[in-house]
Amino acid sequence: MLTFLGFLMIFIFMILIMNKKMTPLTALVIVPVTIALFAGFGPQLGDMMKNGVKEIALTGVMLIFAILYFSLMIDTGLFEPLVNIILKAVGDNPIKTTIGTAVLTSLVSLDGDGSSTYLIVVAAMLPLYKKQGMNPLILTCIIMLAGQIMNILPWGGPTARVMSSLKLGHTEIFVPMIPIMAIGILWVIFVAYILGRKEKIRIAKHGKFTRYNSNDIIGEADPALRRPKLILINLALTITLLVVMILDIVPLGIAFMIAFCIASIINYPKLKDQQKIISKHAGNALSVAGMIFGAGIFTGILNGSGIMQAMGNSMIEIVPKSWGGYMNIVTALFSIPFTFFLSNDAYYFGILPIIVATGHQLGISPEILGRASLIGQGSHLLSPLVPSTYLLVSLAGVEFSDHLKYTLKWALGSSVIMLLSALILGII
């Protein structure tokens, strides 16, 4: 029953947002609360939601001030030289722009933090897409495809969870995955070429895309907010912030909060200008934060009610015993829905140990199954349970449902390519 309720909850949520019957925020809150009440979890519901929101609180704070900080830097013109350099390199060629997006995302993703990657790449590339009249869904698609592959880095999250859960080192889990990641990035560049070529043809036939959202991170340019004389100071502050983030000196949310306050004082000493900046970008920051806390309620109910664990166990039980000899392939294939419908913590700490215990009886080593469990990361970030996904779509000014529809087939393609490569190379 718990498994049924879990899949029903996610199914209803997906239907509502993909058909645009509810906003992601309202669906993230209303759907799980309704089903939890129906299932008799009313007395425990308050604690479940509170725990879910508490777990996501620091992420929400970080995203609010990260949006405010990078939006302020865009207003000052910090990214204009980078945009101009990229524009000179790609010209008015959508194919070069999409490939450049894939390469830039791969490089920026080396820090292992998806949120900062989205902020930096969207800030740098969205102006190019607007100038060339390209669909911003292409931007979010390519960024997510590249980010999902790079998320396998040990400091990205999933691989660290595998190593911790199975008590294995990076030489057993991550190092053998490097060729798979390289092939995955080549696949993303190939997809970027296809999407760029299609967009070039579309623009030639039907003209430039013009339906941009005025609430995206670029917004409406205000020349009065430009601070060209302070560009070196702003660059130094941003680099310092990134170093603090990489070295994990202070919590990232606190770092962005302090950096935003310093940047506000340096660039806009007058109080009315500081208030103007906050008012200008508060809507974008609030919409993202709302969805983040909504996701906290959703996952809080899934975890607190035991639904998420029941879903994982049920998915394991449906695997026929006769498939035991192919546990490596089964693990890789099932990691796609597992990492989509479950959180990384629930899968890698709750489900993977059960899979490994089963594999041990069949003579399949833990490191093979650990690597196989990472194949699903090729489509994981599309999950509605991943908070940073809402940041990406908000920054680019696109609907989550449109992004999901546009990106899903290419993300599944990433997982298939990774699986085939891992089998051919003997990684799993």
Side-chain angles (χ1 to χ4, degrees), residues 76-96:
T76 65
L78 174 64
F79 293 98
E80 278 193 355
L82 175 61
V83 171
N84 292 333
I85 291 171
I86 298 174
L87 190 58
K88 286 180 180 178
V90 303
D92 193 21
N93 189 331
I95 297 175
K96 290 183 179 179

Side-chain angles (χ1 to χ4, degrees), residues 11-336:
F11 176 75
I12 292 174
F13 170 80
M14 299 291 283
I15 291 296
L16 287 173
I17 63 167
M18 291 185 75
N19 289 306
K20 299 184 179 179
K21 300 297 183 183
M22 281 188 181
T23 65
L25 171 59
T26 53
L28 282 166
V29 175
I30 297 298
V31 172
V33 168
T34 302
I35 291 181
L37 288 172
F38 172 77
F41 290 107
Q44 301 89 30
L45 197 55
D47 286 336
M48 291 180 192
M49 293 188 291
K50 182 178 71 175
N51 291 334
V53 171
K54 281 169 64 177
E55 287 187 8
I56 212 104
L58 275 178
T59 301
V61 170
M62 183 272 289
L63 293 179
I64 290 172
F65 285 95
I67 290 171
L68 290 176
Y69 178 82
F70 278 100
S71 297
L72 183 151
M73 287 301 164
I74 289 169
D75 286 335
T76 65
L78 174 64
F79 293 98
E80 278 193 355
L82 175 61
V83 171
N84 292 333
I85 291 171
I86 298 174
L87 190 58
K88 286 180 180 178
V90 303
D92 193 21
N93 189 331
I95 297 175
K96 290 183 179 179
T97 301
T98 52
I99 292 175
T101 303
V103 173
L104 180 62
T105 305
S106 301
L107 294 174
V108 177
S109 294
L110 287 169
D111 69 355
D113 184 78
S115 300
S116 60
T117 297
Y118 297 158
L119 284 158
I120 293 170
V121 178
V122 174
M125 298 304 297
L126 185 56
L128 272 68
Y129 279 70
K130 286 187 173 184
K131 287 179 181 178
Q132 296 181 18
M134 297 173 64
N135 190 337
L137 284 172
I138 298 173
L139 174 64
T140 59
C141 174
I142 296 171
I143 290 175
M144 179 152 285
L145 291 179
Q148 289 176 149
I149 303 298
M150 298 302 290
N151 198 38
I152 297 175
L153 289 167
W155 49 90
T159 303
R161 288 176 173 87
V162 173
M163 293 188 295
S164 175
S165 176
L166 303 184
K167 296 179 174 57
L168 296 170
H170 70 282
T171 53
E172 292 100 338
I173 300 297
F174 171 67
V175 174
M177 291 295 293
I178 293 176
I180 307 304
M181 291 179 63
I183 293 171
I185 292 299
L186 290 175
W187 157 257
V188 174
I189 292 173
F190 175 67
V191 171
Y193 169 79
I194 293 174
L195 296 179
R197 189 170 180 274
K198 284 185 176 181
E199 189 68 357
K200 186 176 182 179
I201 295 171
R202 187 200 62 77
I203 292 172
K205 283 186 177 181
H206 305 291
K208 294 184 175 182
F209 184 92
T210 57
R211 301 186 306 277
Y212 295 102
N213 191 331
S214 59
N215 291 325
D216 59 37
I217 192 173
I218 302 303
E220 298 297 329
D222 186 348
L225 297 176
R226 290 285 186 265
R227 296 293 185 269
K229 294 181 180 179
L230 295 174
I231 191 167
L232 292 179
I233 295 175
N234 288 326
L235 179 61
L237 180 60
T238 303
I239 291 173
T240 302
L241 176 61
L242 295 176
V243 170
V244 169
M245 177 187 70
I246 293 169
L247 298 180
D248 197 23
I249 297 172
V250 295
L252 194 53
I254 305 301
F256 271 114
M257 190 182 295
I258 294 171
F260 172 70
C261 293
I262 293 173
S264 297
I265 295 170
I266 291 174
N267 290 279
Y268 307 106
K270 294 182 180 178
L271 182 60
K272 64 176 183 178
D273 289 335
Q274 294 177 21
Q275 292 173 334
K276 181 179 180 180
I277 287 292
I278 294 174
S279 298
K280 181 181 179 183
H281 303 294
N284 199 3
L286 181 60
S287 67
V288 174
M291 288 188 285
I292 297 303
F293 290 120
I297 287 179
F298 198 105
T299 55
I301 292 174
L302 281 177
N303 284 320
S305 61
I307 288 176
M308 190 170 286
Q309 186 67 35
M311 290 169 64
N313 292 336
S314 297
M315 291 176 76
I316 290 175
E317 290 172 2
I318 67 173
V319 179
K321 292 183 178 179
S322 59
W323 292 10
Y326 304 99
M327 185 60 72
N328 55 337
I329 299 175
V330 171
T331 300
L333 287 173
F334 270 67
S335 69
I336 300 172

